[in-house]
Amino acid sequence: MDVSLTLWALTILGLSALIAVDFLIGRKPHDVSIKEAGIWTGVWICLAALFGLGLLLFGDSGASGEFFAGFITEKSLSVDNLFVFVLIMAKFAVPSHLQQRVLLIGVLIALVLRAIFIAAGAAIIASFSWVFFIFGAFLIYTAWKLIQEARSDDEDEEFEENRLLKTIERRFGVSDRYEGTKLFIRRNGKRVLTPLMVVMLAIGTTDVLFALDSIPAIFGLTQDPYIVFTANAFALMGLRQLYFLIGGLLRRLVHLSYGLSVILGFIGVKLVLHALHETGVHVPEISIPVSLAVICGVLIITTITSLIASKKQAERDAAAKAESDDRTNIGA
């Protein structure tokens, strides 16, 4: 898809305007209700759908299909990020009324860092087509690691600060309590970070680690930097509302890691086939409609099986609790 500098500028301005509106609406710290989160989640999904339809009307069907495949993939991978966001919020004991501000700024940091990743990835792909072999192998390896992590069933997982975050905390210092929405305060004549600033940096920089698999994944669906960027932008910008909407549902998506591993493995194979095709080897290539069908199908099946498994586990837990209470009553 041929994208002019004017279109790039208009797109970035449009996204910036949407972010500004989102910020102004949520500028006052408050507890986000399920209703508010649901409305704004729907708004962001509708905006993404309208953008995809715009590509279909003013661009071409291929670009539109690539955008929707990329958006759905990035959105599903972003849901997995929410598990880590929950851990971060718990570790830093973020007050509920400040969580929406943390996520807004954290996601903005992630979006800027991802834009840098996308630009670097596009430049590498344009110069070295063999990088598709590396991307494909990395995604297949990541898929296998996801399966291993899902099978380990580690219930005591905790968030550990990355080296960059620890360095920043040592360099600037951190206050011992939250100061409303302030990011810096003066303490003994020295400017130090507040815990709010630290947790925002934690959200933003941690997302970079997730970008290591999500960026190669979307490049496996499209090599158009414009579509890669916009799909990431729309997926990330609705992440804050999604956090509050499905926060309680996350623990019930017990098969999500398996579904994501299948998607990443599938895209990894697609990348390897594309790399072989680029080198002159006659192999079948997987089309975008097939990719979109596989991604949607896996997510639907994973969600259904997760909810069924969670329901059965809840019933077993309830039965075990009832049996334990009966034994206690008899013993008394």
Side-chain angles (χ1 to χ4, degrees):
M1 182 175 172
D2 186 20
V3 180
S4 64
L5 288 176
T6 301
L7 182 55
W8 267 108
L10 290 174
T11 301
I12 293 173
L13 284 174
L15 292 173
S16 299
L18 291 174
I19 292 171
V21 170
D22 193 14
F23 182 82
L24 288 173
I25 291 175
R27 68 185 182 278
K28 184 179 180 180
H30 64 283
D31 292 323
V32 178
S33 66
I34 295 296
K35 180 180 179 181
E36 179 185 346
I39 291 173
W40 278 103
T41 297
V43 167
W44 283 115
I45 291 176
C46 287
L47 288 172
L50 289 173
F51 183 83
L53 292 175
L55 289 177
L56 177 62
L57 295 175
F58 302 103
D60 57 71
S61 59
S64 179
E66 290 173 357
F67 171 79
F68 281 117
F71 172 73
I72 293 172
T73 299
E74 293 299 311
K75 199 70 172 177
S76 60
L77 290 171
S78 294
V79 170
D80 198 37
N81 297 12
L82 296 182
F83 285 103
V84 179
F85 290 176
V86 169
L87 295 177
I88 292 174
M89 295 291 190
K91 178 179 176 62
F92 291 98
V94 182
S96 59
H97 68 283
L98 292 177
Q99 290 184 6
Q100 54 90 22
R101 177 65 62 88
V102 167
L103 289 169
L104 177 60
I105 304 301
V107 167
L108 287 179
I109 295 172
L111 184 57
V112 171
L113 294 176
R114 285 204 183 196
I116 296 172
F117 268 57
I118 291 167
I124 293 172
I125 288 172
S127 303
F128 310 103
S129 60
W130 48 262
V131 78
F132 285 115
F133 284 113
I134 298 176
F135 280 2
F138 178 73
L139 289 181
I140 293 171
Y141 170 75
T142 303
W144 172 248
K145 289 291 290 181
L146 270 177
I147 292 176
Q148 294 295 97
E149 290 172 6
R151 294 179 65 182
S152 69
D153 194 27
D154 186 3
E155 295 293 336
D156 299 322
E157 184 180 8
E158 292 184 2
F159 169 74
E160 294 185 5
E161 298 178 30
N162 57 58
R163 187 172 299 177
L164 174 62
L165 198 59
K166 290 179 179 178
T167 301
I168 292 173
E169 289 179 3
R170 287 196 301 268
R171 171 66 180 82
F172 295 98
V174 183
S175 66
D176 57 359
R177 65 180 183 272
Y178 286 90
E179 303 285 346
T181 58
K182 292 180 179 179
L183 304 181
F184 298 91
I185 63 169
R186 288 278 178 184
R187 188 177 64 184
N188 299 326
K190 181 182 177 182
R191 197 181 192 195
V192 299
L193 304 175
T194 65
L196 187 67
M197 182 63 173
V198 175
V199 72
M200 286 178 180
L201 292 173
I203 294 287
T205 56
T206 300
D207 185 80
V208 174
L209 300 177
F210 290 100
L212 293 178
D213 55 43
S214 66
I215 297 301
I218 194 170
F219 271 117
L221 299 168
T222 175
Q223 286 81 60
D224 190 326
Y226 181 76
I227 296 176
V228 172
F229 173 73
T230 51
N232 267 274
F234 279 106
L236 279 177
M237 288 192 300
L239 193 58
R240 178 169 66 95
Q241 291 82 3
L242 197 61
Y243 171 87
F244 295 104
L245 181 63
I246 67 172
L249 182 64
L250 287 175
R251 293 296 177 187
R252 297 177 62 190
L253 299 177
V254 293
H255 296 160
L256 179 63
S257 291
Y258 292 106
L260 294 179
S261 67
V262 171
I263 292 172
L264 291 177
F266 169 78
I267 297 176
V269 171
K270 184 178 185 297
L271 274 171
V272 172
L273 292 176
H274 178 74
L276 289 171
H277 183 78
E278 289 292 308
T279 58
V281 180
H282 295 289
V283 293
E285 286 204 85
I286 302 172
S287 66
I288 287 298
V290 171
S291 299
L292 191 55
V294 169
I295 293 167
C296 292
V298 169
L299 290 175
I300 292 171
I301 293 171
T302 298
T303 301
I304 292 173
T305 58
S306 291
L307 295 178
I308 292 174
S310 296
K311 182 179 180 181
K312 289 182 178 179
Q313 183 60 47
E315 291 174 350
R316 287 194 293 267
D317 291 344
K321 185 177 184 303
E323 183 178 351
S324 176
D325 291 343
D326 289 342
R327 289 177 179 176
T328 301
N329 293 332
I330 293 174

